[in-house]
Amino acid sequence: MVFSKLRPQSIKDKIRSISILQIILPIIIIGILSFVISNNIIRNQALLRTKQTFNYVSEQVTAYTDAISGNAQKILYDRDVYETIAFGLPIDDKTSESIHNLLQQMVTSDTNIEAVSFTIRDENFRTVSKKINIPSAQSVGYSDILKKARKNENSVYWYTDMDGENSGSIYVAKILYNPYTYEEIGNIVFQASGVSLMNMIIKYNTSSDSKIDIISNNDRYIYKADPTVRDDELYELSFNENELIKHNNSYLIYHTIPSVNWRILCTLSSRSLFETSVWLMLCIFLLCLISATALVLFTKYINNNISSPLSELAKQIQTWDEDKVFRSPYKHRKDEIGVLYNSFSLMTRRIGLLIKQNYRNKLLQKDIELKMLQSQITPHFMFNALSAINNMAILNNMDDISKMVTALSDTLNNRISRNGRYVTLNDELSASDSYIYIQQVRFSNRLEIEKNISENARNIPIPNLTIQPIVENAVKYGLEATDRKCIIKINAYIDDDDLIVTVSDNGTGIEKDRLERINTALKTDALSIDGSIGLVNVNKRLMLLYGSDYGITIDSEPNKFTTVTLKYKIQDVKQY
Amino acid sequence: MYELFNNYSNENHIQITCDSLYGNDFYLKLQADFSIGHDPDIVITAPGYNINYLYDADKLASLHKDILNDTSWSNNFDESILYTTKRNNKIYGIPMGMEYLALYSNNELLSKCGLDVPQSFNELLFACDVLKQNGITPIAFGALDSDMLLYQAITASLGGYMELTNAIYKSELTPPYALAFERMQSLYQAGAYPTDFESIGRLESQQMFLEAKAAFIVESSSFANTIANFSTENYFSDGKFSISAFPTSENVQKARNEFYKSNLIPVPYGVDNMTIHVSKTAYETKHDEIIRLIKYLTSKDSAKLLTKERGDISSVKSLSSKTSSAPTSNIIVERNLFIGKCTEITPMPDTAIDKYVWYSCISSNLANIITGRTDASDVLSNTSALLDAARGG
């Protein structure tokens, strides 16, 4: 229910709603997604960069530690030392010298090594050093280191007493086993300087954006980027390796160097990490804003150009009065809106014309029906009366009266009985003859008829009662209006596909102005001309049946003649 | 092998560090690395005394479950080869190839001197004498060959399966090892070796034989491939070379025939240096990566490459000598026929003892023993003493 109430009603509202859905929602979604994705990308990029740093630092540290621990193997690769260990041979002078030389070689060739302690079978303990600070069991707690190294079994044990700055050393301890029995037979401990390692890491700490710390497996700073940080501060942090976590105003992530179990701790400043993110978000926001503005303007244009004209058209349709003709304001628009407007305009004009025409036709029909009713008043009574008169005239040898009554009866019969729409030209002329005979008797032969009918025209079907009303008019204006002898000429001939019938009289004629008015009226929908309904009726019937090129035309000169020309179209008519 | 490692590294973006050493250096490094806790991930070498020690000390992992649980992998191997690396009923190494030791004879040189391929040690001595008289070096041999293939072939021909399977008794090597020195001396006295044999090694010996400057050479079965690749023009004709078991003495053979009631000629045989072992540390810490790498190395494609380059008899079923189709040359056909005719196969004599001891005692003193500068019994005593010391005795 709520939704149905909220449902937009007009196209304008709908377009507005769609615009909201198409613009606002996508922009919100794009904004959120962009924020999340860009944040992730930046975070991942930071992680990737950090990982690359980790890899590089890890490689450097591994190279450093491998170089030191690899020296332990070098001692055993010496055949004398190996055979002494493997086959339990006594340590003779030659072997002692070999061992001494090897240890000496190590501390001189590797600048990182400060001292080496090599123990083989408890009774033979040898130490070589190049600096004053020779490691001793007391100073570095050898027994503890070796204890832990033993726990490490086969792995190298790393230990440091460094403070993350400039003091302390790195110790590497390895337990030696007999290669056959794998019983412990000795150990080797290196004391190494961490200076070169620190120098290498310092290179990574030149940027203020990220700092690298190295923490040993015994939780000592091998290298500390920020000397103000307490030693125990970061050790308390417990989080997964390679996981980025927030700590105060920084982000922390660490990686373990597998060969030595040292941790590389990277501290990233929040500002540097998200500086790019903020800039990117601002760009996205501006982009969304520009897009939204552009889309709003575009929607407004669509509204003005499409929805507003449609609304206006709907309003015009709703309020359109059938008497009015709607005039399109978009006559020159070629798009769908223009077509709708122009079509509606044309439609209103046509409807107006049809309504007028229909109204006139109804009036004409009513008039005809009235006249028909008038003419059909007691037709049987009239026929019966005329028949009685005719019989009496015949019985009294009154032939003239009999002819007159017969002609009158035929005339009435023609008007009443001929219900078919078409008759031959001959029949139409015969019907006129009865009327003419009556008028001739009436006016004592002052009426003369001349007929000139083409033989090939006689059987052409024409609408009934189209010639007699014209003859009646000729009698009216040629005979009744003057005292002179009236001559009525009827001609009929074929002109191409048309039948032309002319009815002329030598009566009073028609003034030129009036003649023009009559002829003009005949071309229009005039209901009567000077009160003459018959002439108009015949003209209308011919135009309706054959088209506007057919009908009646009148030619006349005052006091000389009047000729009415009827133009029929010759066509096959199935039923008369 | 390096090509395989490189391909795998490139395909999988991992770094493989490969240390390749030869002879005594290899075993010294291997033993030293394990003893100081610098265990390699993978050890590729022939199984034997040293590998058994490492396995028994729990330094090498059993691959039994891995290979048997993956039938698509285990079905790839010739079963008889796969089971040669068993210890305590568990497979601990995946062999990539096998090798036999054989006597290669140049039939053209023998024919020139009216000789046939010798069937007994005496016939060999006679052939050496005749060849020498005809100015041909009889046996291509260099004392710097630390593998001492000729010595091993002679030892196997004298010992047979039983004695070489149990080559050490109370830290002492069984008699065939001592007798073999005598045979080497007999051949030396017959002028069988090149005059400069003390200063040449295995590659120089091979070159002598390939260039038809010597009539015989004891080599591994992969040498057939070297011959095939040496010159397609000269070495493809039928019957140019023959491959046979190293001839033993008639007396020994007679005694063996009586014992076995059959005419068995022993041929040293075993998985070659290309057998993969995995350290226990690597097996526990990077099991999946290691197994994936081994599967790659023992795949059919890798085996094809190795067979082509090294001429190995592959452990991969479809590429082994038994089933391999369309050998590339006549010498390969000859080799496959020889393998088919082997009636008794023995372990490689050098797998019975510690390799470090083998190289440092026996191999390094071989020339001196042959020439009589050193007494063989002293060398063998020294060898026994070291073996005893290695056992903590």
Side-chain angles (χ1 to χ4, degrees):
Chain A
M1 284 297 285
V2 175
F3 284 113
S4 64
K5 280 179 186 174
L6 289 174
R7 192 176 296 153
Q9 297 301 315
S10 67
I11 287 177
K12 199 170 181 174
D13 290 342
K14 283 175 182 168
I15 287 178
R16 196 175 292 141
S17 305
I18 289 167
S19 302
I20 290 168
L21 286 172
Q22 282 185 333
I23 298 168
I24 308 297
L25 279 180
I27 283 172
I28 290 170
I29 292 166
I30 288 168
I32 292 169
L33 282 177
S34 303
F35 175 75
V36 172
I37 291 167
S38 61
N39 247 341
N40 273 340
I41 289 170
I42 288 162
R43 195 185 171 91
N44 288 338
Q45 277 183 342
L47 285 173
L48 187 68
R49 277 203 306 274
T50 312
K51 202 174 172 187
Q52 285 168 347
T53 306
F54 281 162
N55 286 342
Y56 193 78
V57 172
S58 184
E59 279 174 17
Q60 298 289 320
V61 171
T62 306
Y64 169 86
T65 54
D66 280 357
I68 296 169
S69 65
N71 285 305
Q73 287 144 254
K74 282 182 193 167
I75 297 178
L76 291 194
Y77 293 161
D78 181 87
R79 286 182 190 279
D80 290 337
V81 177
Y82 177 81
E83 286 181 7
T84 303
I85 293 170
F87 303 116
L89 302 180
I91 303 168
D92 55 15
D93 292 344
K94 190 186 165 202
T95 308
S96 296
E97 194 184 341
S98 291
I99 294 169
H100 176 77
N101 288 340
L102 280 166
L103 301 184
Q104 193 63 46
Q105 201 182 342
M106 281 174 202
V107 291
T108 49
S109 62
D110 192 333
T111 53
N112 291 318
I113 298 175
E114 293 172 334
V116 188
S117 162
F118 182 70
T119 307
I120 180 166
R121 298 190 205 113
D122 293 335
E123 68 270 21
N124 295 303
F125 180 79
R126 294 157 201 270
T127 305
V128 180
S129 70
K130 71 171 182 178
K131 291 187 178 178
I132 300 167
N133 56 338
I134 302 166
S136 66
Q138 289 76 25
S139 64
V140 295
Y142 262 25
S143 57
D144 286 345
I145 295 173
L146 291 172
K147 211 178 278 175
K148 285 179 180 171
R150 262 180 216 107
K151 276 188 185 173
N152 248 20
E153 290 188 350
N154 292 334
S155 301
V156 181
Y157 180 73
W158 291 85
Y159 173 87
T160 181
D161 57 3
M162 289 176 78
D163 60 359
E165 293 174 65
N166 290 318
S167 65
S169 296
I170 294 167
Y171 299 90
V172 190
K174 278 192 171 192
I175 304 295
L176 302 182
Y177 297 91
N178 179 291
Y180 295 101
T181 60
Y182 287 95
E183 288 167 358
E184 183 182 333
I185 52 163
N187 59 68
I188 183 164
V189 182
F190 293 94
Q191 180 180 348
S193 160
V195 174
S196 66
L197 190 62
M198 288 173 76
N199 289 338
M200 182 270 294
I201 298 162
I202 285 168
K203 283 191 279 182
Y204 288 96
N205 284 347
T206 51
S207 162
S208 59
D209 296 340
S210 64
K211 297 286 179 193
I212 292 282
D213 295 311
I214 307 281
I215 301 165
S216 75
N217 50 326
N218 59 327
D219 287 346
R220 297 277 300 189
Y221 271 107
I222 291 171
Y223 177 77
K224 193 196 289 180
D226 182 1
T228 60
V229 175
R230 282 185 297 113
D231 280 5
D232 59 344
E233 192 177 334
L234 290 172
Y235 309 148
E236 292 163 9
L237 297 171
S238 56
F239 52 97
N240 293 331
E241 187 173 351
N242 293 326
E243 182 189 354
L244 192 65
I245 61 146
K246 196 163 181 3
H247 178 71
N248 298 333
N249 292 322
S250 306
Y251 281 85
L252 299 178
I253 183 167
Y254 77 88
H255 170 74
T256 305
I257 303 167
S259 58
V260 284
N261 272 334
W262 292 355
R263 284 166 291 167
I264 310 168
L265 180 72
C266 184
T267 310
L268 298 161
S269 78
S270 302
R271 187 188 58 77
S272 68
L273 189 60
F274 291 104
E275 193 174 33
T276 321
S277 175
V278 169
W279 181 84
L280 188 66
M281 277 164 55
L282 189 67
C283 284
I284 290 166
F285 176 74
L286 282 173
L287 196 66
C288 290
L289 193 67
I290 291 165
S291 305
T293 310
L295 285 169
V296 165
L297 290 173
F298 181 69
T299 310
K300 200 167 176 61
Y301 166 76
I302 295 283
N303 253 333
N304 290 339
N305 203 257
I306 298 170
S307 61
S308 293
L310 281 174
S311 300
E312 183 58 30
L313 182 61
K315 196 174 164 186
Q316 289 290 339
I317 290 169
Q318 278 177 336
T319 59
W320 177 63
D321 189 337
E322 59 193 21
D323 291 341
K324 290 180 186 171
V325 172
F326 173 73
R327 299 199 182 283
S328 167
Y330 302 112
K331 279 183 183 170
H332 301 296
R333 260 178 91 151
K334 301 289 180 195
D335 61 2
E336 289 82 351
I337 300 288
V339 170
L340 279 174
Y341 264 88
N342 293 331
S343 298
F344 180 61
S345 173
L346 184 64
M347 189 182 78
T348 58
R349 266 191 289 150
R350 284 186 178 165
I351 288 172
L353 284 171
L354 286 171
I355 287 170
K356 272 185 187 173
Q357 199 167 9
N358 187 41
Y359 180 68
R360 284 174 188 165
N361 285 343
K362 277 183 180 173
L363 283 178
L364 184 60
Q365 191 180 353
K366 279 184 180 173
D367 187 62
I368 291 167
E369 283 171 359
L370 185 64
K371 285 190 181 306
M372 288 293 286
L373 283 170
Q374 284 173 345
S375 63
Q376 285 176 22
I377 297 168
T378 62
H380 296 289
F381 169 75
M382 289 296 289
F383 275 118
N384 291 339
L386 288 170
S387 180
I389 293 166
N390 188 34
N391 287 339
M392 283 174 67
I394 291 167
L395 287 171
N396 293 300
N397 292 322
M398 297 169 77
D399 292 341
D400 290 342
I401 292 170
S402 172
K403 279 184 181 174
M404 185 70 174
V405 168
T406 303
L408 184 59
S409 176
D410 286 346
T411 302
L412 277 172
N413 193 34
N414 283 337
R415 291 195 179 204
I416 295 163
S417 311
R418 288 162 67 187
N419 293 327
R421 284 180 67 192
Y422 290 91
V423 293
T424 61
L425 175 65
N426 224 21
D427 290 345
E428 183 65 14
L429 290 172
S430 297
S432 301
D433 286 348
S434 300
Y435 170 76
I436 289 166
Y437 176 74
I438 293 166
Q439 294 300 343
Q440 280 175 332
V441 172
R442 186 181 161 201
F443 291 98
S444 302
N445 296 323
R446 203 157 61 87
L447 176 62
E448 190 177 319
I449 296 293
E450 291 179 12
K451 287 186 186 171
N452 185 13
I453 309 299
S454 294
E455 280 307 314
N456 57 357
R458 285 186 181 279
N459 289 320
I460 289 171
I462 58 169
N464 70 343
L465 286 173
T466 50
I467 294 177
Q468 188 177 317
I470 309 303
V471 173
E472 284 177 13
N473 264 4
V475 169
K476 183 178 175 183
Y477 296 106
L479 187 63
E480 293 177 358
T482 64
D483 293 334
R484 62 175 182 266
K485 188 174 182 176
C486 175
I487 300 168
I488 292 173
K489 292 182 181 176
I490 300 173
N491 295 326
Y493 59 92
I494 292 171
D495 180 18
D496 290 336
D497 293 332
D498 300 330
L499 170 65
I500 308 296
V501 176
T502 61
V503 179
S504 306
D505 68 78
N506 57 346
T508 54
I510 305 166
E511 293 295 330
K512 191 179 176 183
D513 293 345
R514 188 167 165 252
L515 180 65
E516 280 179 9
R517 206 166 55 247
I518 292 168
N519 276 328
T520 304
L522 287 170
K523 294 291 178 191
T524 66
D525 294 335
L527 295 175
S528 66
I529 299 169
D530 293 344
S532 172
I533 293 170
L535 191 65
V536 172
N537 190 14
V538 170
N539 182 54
K540 275 228 167 282
R541 285 173 67 200
L542 293 182
M543 284 174 80
L544 281 170
L545 287 168
Y546 303 124
S548 58
D549 290 341
Y550 295 85
I552 291 172
T553 52
I554 301 173
D555 189 17
S556 180
E557 277 190 29
N559 294 319
K560 283 191 177 173
F561 74 93
T562 298
T563 300
V564 176
T565 304
L566 297 100
K567 189 177 177 183
Y568 300 88
K569 188 174 187 177
I570 299 170
Q571 55 185 192
D572 287 335
V573 178
K574 290 180 182 175
Q575 186 182 354
Y576 292 170
Chain B
M1 202 64 196
Y2 276 110
E3 191 180 335
L4 285 177
F5 282 130
N6 283 338
N7 291 345
Y8 190 79
S9 293
N10 294 335
E11 285 168 18
N12 297 278
H13 308 291
I14 62 162
Q15 191 184 345
I16 298 174
T17 308
C18 185
D19 275 346
S20 180
L21 294 169
Y22 187 71
N24 212 1
D25 292 340
F26 175 80
Y27 283 95
L28 187 148
K29 179 171 166 46
L30 181 72
Q31 304 271 96
D33 282 354
F34 272 108
S35 71
I36 205 164
H38 190 257
D39 301 4
D41 292 339
I42 286 178
V43 179
I44 301 179
T45 189
Y49 187 94
N50 301 73
I51 291 295
N52 290 346
Y53 245 103
L54 286 169
Y55 183 73
D56 292 345
D58 211 21
K59 297 290 173 185
L60 295 177
S62 162
L63 301 170
H64 199 77
K65 280 184 186 170
D66 296 282
I67 193 155
L68 291 188
N69 288 349
D70 187 346
T71 48
S72 63
W73 187 24
S74 57
N75 287 342
N76 205 25
F77 293 98
D78 186 323
E79 204 172 307
S80 62
I81 296 175
L82 192 62
Y83 279 82
T84 54
T85 60
K86 253 186 167 184
R87 189 160 178 84
N88 301 330
N89 286 323
K90 285 185 176 173
I91 296 166
Y92 61 92
I94 311 291
M96 288 193 274
M98 306 298 294
E99 64 179 355
Y100 294 76
L101 286 188
L103 179 72
Y104 287 76
S105 306
N106 185 325
N107 292 338
E108 280 185 357
L109 292 180
L110 293 180
S111 299
K112 271 185 193 172
C113 303
L115 297 166
D116 289 326
V117 174
Q119 299 300 313
S120 67
F121 188 72
N122 285 336
E123 282 182 27
L124 177 64
L125 284 175
F126 175 73
C128 289
D129 190 40
V130 175
L131 287 163
K132 188 77 182 168
Q133 286 170 19
N134 284 277
I136 299 167
T137 302
I139 301 174
F141 167 69
L144 296 183
D145 170 20
S146 55
D147 288 328
M148 302 189 298
L149 297 184
L150 178 60
Y151 175 73
Q152 290 201 64
I154 296 171
T155 308
S157 72
L158 295 168
Y161 178 80
M162 290 296 284
E163 287 197 71
L164 291 180
T165 306
N166 303 289
I168 299 175
Y169 179 71
K170 290 185 178 176
S171 299
E172 285 191 7
L173 288 165
T174 49
Y177 287 87
L179 282 172
F181 282 131
E182 290 176 16
R183 294 294 165 89
M184 292 286 285
Q185 286 168 337
S186 301
L187 287 170
Y188 170 70
Q189 285 154 11
Y193 310 138
T195 49
D196 56 347
F197 82 96
E198 289 188 63
S199 59
I200 65 173
R202 188 170 172 183
L203 286 176
E204 290 89 346
S205 309
Q206 288 180 347
Q207 197 62 26
M208 277 185 74
F209 184 78
L210 290 170
E211 289 171 358
K213 290 176 183 169
F216 302 110
I217 190 170
V218 170
E219 261 299 342
S220 75
S221 43
S222 62
F223 185 61
N225 197 58
T226 311
I227 295 174
N229 292 335
F230 181 69
S231 169
T232 52
E233 191 183 342
N234 298 326
Y235 289 88
F236 262 68
S237 56
D238 288 336
K240 170 112 186 176
F241 297 99
S242 58
I243 304 175
S244 56
F246 192 87
T248 188
S249 67
E250 286 166 352
N251 291 341
V252 171
Q253 190 61 42
K254 192 179 172 187
R256 286 172 53 77
N257 290 351
E258 282 174 6
F259 183 80
Y260 289 110
K261 309 291 182 205
S262 173
N263 183 24
L264 297 177
I265 299 171
V267 172
Y269 156 87
V271 291
D272 66 10
N273 284 332
M274 306 295 281
T275 302
I276 304 167
H277 308 89
V278 179
S279 75
K280 194 75 178 285
T281 318
Y283 188 85
E284 285 168 355
T285 55
K286 33 191 154 179
H287 173 268
D288 293 348
E289 292 88 343
I290 291 287
I291 296 299
R292 204 178 303 129
L293 172 62
I294 300 175
K295 282 182 179 176
Y296 171 79
L297 295 174
T298 55
S299 68
K300 194 176 171 183
D301 287 341
S302 300
K304 266 185 188 172
L305 186 73
L306 286 173
T307 309
K308 189 182 169 192
E309 295 298 323
R310 289 168 47 90
D312 286 357
I313 297 163
S314 178
S315 60
V316 171
K317 207 184 286 179
S318 58
L319 297 171
S320 70
S321 62
K322 293 175 189 170
T323 53
S324 172
S325 59
T328 50
S329 68
N330 291 323
I331 191 70
I332 301 295
V333 175
E334 184 77 18
R335 182 194 71 181
N336 293 347
L337 286 171
F338 161 70
I339 291 168
K341 285 190 285 188
C342 286
T343 49
E344 181 186 3
I345 51 176
T346 75
M348 292 288 181
D350 66 343
T351 59
I353 66 171
D354 175 61
K355 273 293 181 75
Y356 185 84
V357 176
W358 172 271
Y359 289 122
S360 57
C361 290
I362 300 176
S363 183
S364 61
N365 284 305
L366 186 64
N368 290 335
I369 297 170
I370 290 170
T371 54
R373 294 193 294 266
T374 302
D375 191 350
S377 59
D378 290 345
V379 171
L380 289 172
S381 302
N382 195 23
T383 302
S384 297
L386 282 181
L387 290 173
D388 197 35
R391 291 181 174 199

